[in-house]
mmCIF file of all heavy atoms in Angstrom:
data_model
loop_
_atom_site.group_PDB
_atom_site.id
_atom_site.type_symbol
_atom_site.label_atom_id
_atom_site.label_comp_id
_atom_site.label_asym_id
_atom_site.label_seq_id
_atom_site.Cartn_x
_atom_site.Cartn_y
_atom_site.Cartn_z
ATOM 1 N N SER A 1 2.292 14.902 13.027
ATOM 2 C CA SER A 1 2.853 14.386 11.794
ATOM 3 C C SER A 1 4.291 13.926 11.950
ATOM 4 O O SER A 1 4.813 13.209 11.107
ATOM 5 C CB SER A 1 2.765 15.455 10.696
ATOM 6 O OG SER A 1 3.494 16.609 11.086
ATOM 7 N N SER A 2 4.958 14.320 13.031
ATOM 8 C CA SER A 2 6.348 13.925 13.237
ATOM 9 C C SER A 2 6.465 12.574 13.924
ATOM 10 O O SER A 2 7.542 12.005 13.997
ATOM 11 C CB SER A 2 7.076 14.984 14.079
ATOM 12 O OG SER A 2 6.538 15.025 15.391
ATOM 13 N N ALA A 3 5.355 12.052 14.423
ATOM 14 C CA ALA A 3 5.392 10.780 15.137
ATOM 15 C C ALA A 3 5.648 9.641 14.168
ATOM 16 O O ALA A 3 5.126 9.613 13.058
ATOM 17 C CB ALA A 3 4.080 10.549 15.884
ATOM 18 N N MET A 4 6.460 8.666 14.603
ATOM 19 C CA MET A 4 6.719 7.500 13.776
ATOM 20 C C MET A 4 5.496 6.603 13.786
ATOM 21 O O MET A 4 4.938 6.295 14.825
ATOM 22 C CB MET A 4 7.929 6.733 14.295
ATOM 23 C CG MET A 4 8.194 5.457 13.513
ATOM 24 S SD MET A 4 9.612 4.553 14.126
ATOM 25 C CE MET A 4 9.500 3.079 13.113
ATOM 26 N N VAL A 5 5.098 6.171 12.598
ATOM 27 C CA VAL A 5 3.924 5.326 12.464
ATOM 28 C C VAL A 5 4.307 4.065 11.704
ATOM 29 O O VAL A 5 4.963 4.118 10.669
ATOM 30 C CB VAL A 5 2.781 6.067 11.734
ATOM 31 C CG1 VAL A 5 1.567 5.168 11.586
ATOM 32 C CG2 VAL A 5 2.423 7.347 12.477
ATOM 33 N N THR A 6 3.915 2.917 12.206
ATOM 34 C CA THR A 6 4.205 1.646 11.562
ATOM 35 C C THR A 6 3.168 1.353 10.485
ATOM 36 O O THR A 6 1.976 1.462 10.723
ATOM 37 C CB THR A 6 4.199 0.507 12.591
ATOM 38 O OG1 THR A 6 5.260 0.709 13.523
ATOM 39 C CG2 THR A 6 4.375 -0.850 11.922
ATOM 40 N N ALA A 7 3.641 0.977 9.298
ATOM 41 C CA ALA A 7 2.746 0.512 8.237
ATOM 42 C C ALA A 7 2.629 -1.005 8.329
ATOM 43 O O ALA A 7 3.565 -1.691 8.741
ATOM 44 C CB ALA A 7 3.289 0.930 6.874
ATOM 45 N N VAL A 8 1.475 -1.534 7.956
ATOM 46 C CA VAL A 8 1.218 -2.963 8.125
ATOM 47 C C VAL A 8 1.257 -3.678 6.785
ATOM 48 O O VAL A 8 0.482 -3.384 5.882
ATOM 49 C CB VAL A 8 -0.145 -3.199 8.807
ATOM 50 C CG1 VAL A 8 -0.361 -4.687 9.039
ATOM 51 C CG2 VAL A 8 -0.212 -2.441 10.119
ATOM 52 N N ASN A 9 2.169 -4.629 6.668
ATOM 53 C CA ASN A 9 2.294 -5.435 5.463
ATOM 54 C C ASN A 9 1.367 -6.633 5.603
ATOM 55 O O ASN A 9 1.705 -7.633 6.218
ATOM 56 C CB ASN A 9 3.739 -5.893 5.298
ATOM 57 C CG ASN A 9 3.941 -6.751 4.063
ATOM 58 O OD1 ASN A 9 3.325 -6.518 3.041
ATOM 59 N ND2 ASN A 9 4.806 -7.732 4.173
ATOM 60 N N ALA A 10 0.155 -6.529 5.039
ATOM 61 C CA ALA A 10 -0.847 -7.566 5.242
ATOM 62 C C ALA A 10 -1.283 -8.185 3.933
ATOM 63 O O ALA A 10 -1.391 -7.514 2.910
ATOM 64 C CB ALA A 10 -2.065 -6.982 5.957
ATOM 65 N N SER A 11 -1.550 -9.481 3.963
ATOM 66 C CA SER A 11 -2.100 -10.165 2.805
ATOM 67 C C SER A 11 -3.551 -9.745 2.618
ATOM 68 O O SER A 11 -4.321 -9.690 3.572
ATOM 69 C CB SER A 11 -2.022 -11.679 3.012
ATOM 70 O OG SER A 11 -2.708 -12.358 2.004
ATOM 71 N N SER A 12 -3.926 -9.445 1.379
ATOM 72 C CA SER A 12 -5.297 -9.009 1.112
ATOM 73 C C SER A 12 -6.254 -10.176 0.956
ATOM 74 O O SER A 12 -7.464 -9.979 0.917
ATOM 75 C CB SER A 12 -5.331 -8.152 -0.156
ATOM 76 O OG SER A 12 -4.894 -8.902 -1.278
ATOM 77 N N ASP A 13 -5.749 -11.390 0.855
ATOM 78 C CA ASP A 13 -6.619 -12.541 0.637
ATOM 79 C C ASP A 13 -6.174 -13.749 1.463
ATOM 80 O O ASP A 13 -6.229 -14.884 1.019
ATOM 81 C CB ASP A 13 -6.657 -12.911 -0.845
ATOM 82 C CG ASP A 13 -5.283 -13.303 -1.392
ATOM 83 O OD1 ASP A 13 -4.283 -13.110 -0.659
ATOM 84 O OD2 ASP A 13 -5.207 -13.791 -2.518
ATOM 85 N N GLY A 14 -5.733 -13.481 2.678
ATOM 86 C CA GLY A 14 -5.254 -14.551 3.534
ATOM 87 C C GLY A 14 -6.365 -15.311 4.231
ATOM 88 O O GLY A 14 -7.554 -15.020 4.070
ATOM 89 N N ALA A 15 -5.995 -16.286 5.014
ATOM 90 C CA ALA A 15 -6.965 -17.088 5.751
ATOM 91 C C ALA A 15 -7.749 -16.242 6.735
ATOM 92 O O ALA A 15 -8.934 -16.483 6.967
ATOM 93 C CB ALA A 15 -6.247 -18.223 6.487
ATOM 94 N N MET A 16 -7.097 -15.268 7.326
ATOM 95 C CA MET A 16 -7.750 -14.369 8.257
ATOM 96 C C MET A 16 -8.104 -13.064 7.567
ATOM 97 O O MET A 16 -7.389 -12.615 6.672
ATOM 98 C CB MET A 16 -6.835 -14.070 9.454
ATOM 99 C CG MET A 16 -6.624 -15.223 10.398
ATOM 100 S SD MET A 16 -5.270 -14.911 11.574
ATOM 101 C CE MET A 16 -5.806 -13.392 12.323
ATOM 102 N N ASN A 17 -9.177 -12.465 7.990
ATOM 103 C CA ASN A 17 -9.523 -11.134 7.523
ATOM 104 C C ASN A 17 -8.731 -10.137 8.353
ATOM 105 O O ASN A 17 -9.000 -9.955 9.540
ATOM 106 C CB ASN A 17 -11.023 -10.892 7.674
ATOM 107 C CG ASN A 17 -11.445 -9.534 7.133
ATOM 108 O OD1 ASN A 17 -10.618 -8.730 6.717
ATOM 109 N ND2 ASN A 17 -12.738 -9.278 7.150
ATOM 110 N N THR A 18 -7.756 -9.491 7.752
ATOM 111 C CA THR A 18 -6.852 -8.613 8.498
ATOM 112 C C THR A 18 -7.268 -7.150 8.451
ATOM 113 O O THR A 18 -6.552 -6.292 8.960
ATOM 114 C CB THR A 18 -5.423 -8.749 7.947
ATOM 115 O OG1 THR A 18 -5.415 -8.418 6.555
ATOM 116 C CG2 THR A 18 -4.927 -10.180 8.112
ATOM 117 N N GLU A 19 -8.405 -6.871 7.866
ATOM 118 C CA GLU A 19 -8.869 -5.488 7.783
ATOM 119 C C GLU A 19 -9.155 -4.940 9.170
ATOM 120 O O GLU A 19 -9.828 -5.573 9.977
ATOM 121 C CB GLU A 19 -10.132 -5.408 6.922
ATOM 122 C CG GLU A 19 -10.640 -4.001 6.699
ATOM 123 C CD GLU A 19 -11.883 -3.954 5.828
ATOM 124 O OE1 GLU A 19 -12.384 -5.048 5.477
ATOM 125 O OE2 GLU A 19 -12.334 -2.852 5.517
ATOM 126 N N ASP A 20 -8.635 -3.762 9.446
ATOM 127 C CA ASP A 20 -8.904 -3.042 10.691
ATOM 128 C C ASP A 20 -8.409 -3.757 11.949
ATOM 129 O O ASP A 20 -8.938 -3.547 13.033
ATOM 130 C CB ASP A 20 -10.412 -2.765 10.841
ATOM 131 C CG ASP A 20 -10.934 -1.839 9.773
ATOM 132 O OD1 ASP A 20 -10.155 -0.989 9.292
ATOM 133 O OD2 ASP A 20 -12.112 -1.957 9.409
ATOM 134 N N LEU A 21 -7.387 -4.581 11.824
ATOM 135 C CA LEU A 21 -6.837 -5.219 13.027
ATOM 136 C C LEU A 21 -6.134 -4.196 13.912
ATOM 137 O O LEU A 21 -6.148 -4.310 15.138
ATOM 138 C CB LEU A 21 -5.843 -6.321 12.649
ATOM 139 C CG LEU A 21 -6.403 -7.580 12.002
ATOM 140 C CD1 LEU A 21 -5.304 -8.613 11.860
ATOM 141 C CD2 LEU A 21 -7.571 -8.141 12.794
ATOM 142 N N PHE A 22 -5.481 -3.224 13.282
ATOM 143 C CA PHE A 22 -4.705 -2.230 14.013
ATOM 144 C C PHE A 22 -5.294 -0.843 13.760
ATOM 145 O O PHE A 22 -5.549 -0.464 12.624
ATOM 146 C CB PHE A 22 -3.242 -2.253 13.582
ATOM 147 C CG PHE A 22 -2.575 -3.585 13.741
ATOM 148 C CD1 PHE A 22 -2.466 -4.457 12.662
ATOM 149 C CD2 PHE A 22 -2.050 -3.972 14.967
ATOM 150 C CE1 PHE A 22 -1.855 -5.686 12.796
ATOM 151 C CE2 PHE A 22 -1.434 -5.203 15.117
ATOM 152 C CZ PHE A 22 -1.338 -6.067 14.031
ATOM 153 N N THR A 23 -5.468 -0.080 14.818
ATOM 154 C CA THR A 23 -5.940 1.292 14.674
ATOM 155 C C THR A 23 -4.760 2.233 14.486
ATOM 156 O O THR A 23 -3.595 1.869 14.683
ATOM 157 C CB THR A 23 -6.735 1.730 15.910
ATOM 158 O OG1 THR A 23 -5.835 1.859 17.019
ATOM 159 C CG2 THR A 23 -7.826 0.726 16.255
ATOM 160 N N ASP A 24 -5.051 3.470 14.124
ATOM 161 C CA ASP A 24 -3.999 4.472 13.976
ATOM 162 C C ASP A 24 -3.201 4.632 15.264
ATOM 163 O O ASP A 24 -1.978 4.749 15.254
ATOM 164 C CB ASP A 24 -4.612 5.814 13.576
ATOM 165 C CG ASP A 24 -5.258 5.787 12.200
ATOM 166 O OD1 ASP A 24 -5.040 4.799 11.476
ATOM 167 O OD2 ASP A 24 -5.969 6.737 11.859
ATOM 168 N N ARG A 25 -3.916 4.649 16.385
ATOM 169 C CA ARG A 25 -3.218 4.841 17.663
ATOM 170 C C ARG A 25 -2.358 3.631 18.000
ATOM 171 O O ARG A 25 -1.268 3.784 18.575
ATOM 172 C CB ARG A 25 -4.225 5.112 18.782
ATOM 173 C CG ARG A 25 -3.562 5.499 20.100
ATOM 174 C CD ARG A 25 -4.563 5.950 21.136
ATOM 175 N NE ARG A 25 -3.922 6.285 22.407
ATOM 176 C CZ ARG A 25 -4.573 6.666 23.495
ATOM 177 N NH1 ARG A 25 -5.904 6.770 23.472
ATOM 178 N NH2 ARG A 25 -3.913 6.947 24.608
ATOM 179 N N ASP A 26 -2.816 2.431 17.660
ATOM 180 C CA ASP A 26 -1.996 1.238 17.870
ATOM 181 C C ASP A 26 -0.649 1.377 17.173
ATOM 182 O O ASP A 26 0.391 0.976 17.709
ATOM 183 C CB ASP A 26 -2.690 -0.006 17.304
ATOM 184 C CG ASP A 26 -3.968 -0.381 18.014
ATOM 185 O OD1 ASP A 26 -4.166 0.046 19.167
ATOM 186 O OD2 ASP A 26 -4.789 -1.107 17.408
#
């Protein structure tokens, strides 16, 4: 829980489907 984790600012309705592009480990 102390590890820094990046949050992803993604468009929900963009040209690309960005769902699940990045995993937790990524």
Side-chain angles (χ1 to χ4, degrees):
S1 60
S2 66
M4 177 180 174
V5 179
T6 295
V8 183
N9 180 36
S11 172
S12 61
D13 61 351
M16 290 168 56
N17 183 355
T18 58
E19 184 179 4
D20 295 330
L21 290 187
F22 303 97
T23 69
D24 295 349
R25 187 172 178 182
D26 294 340

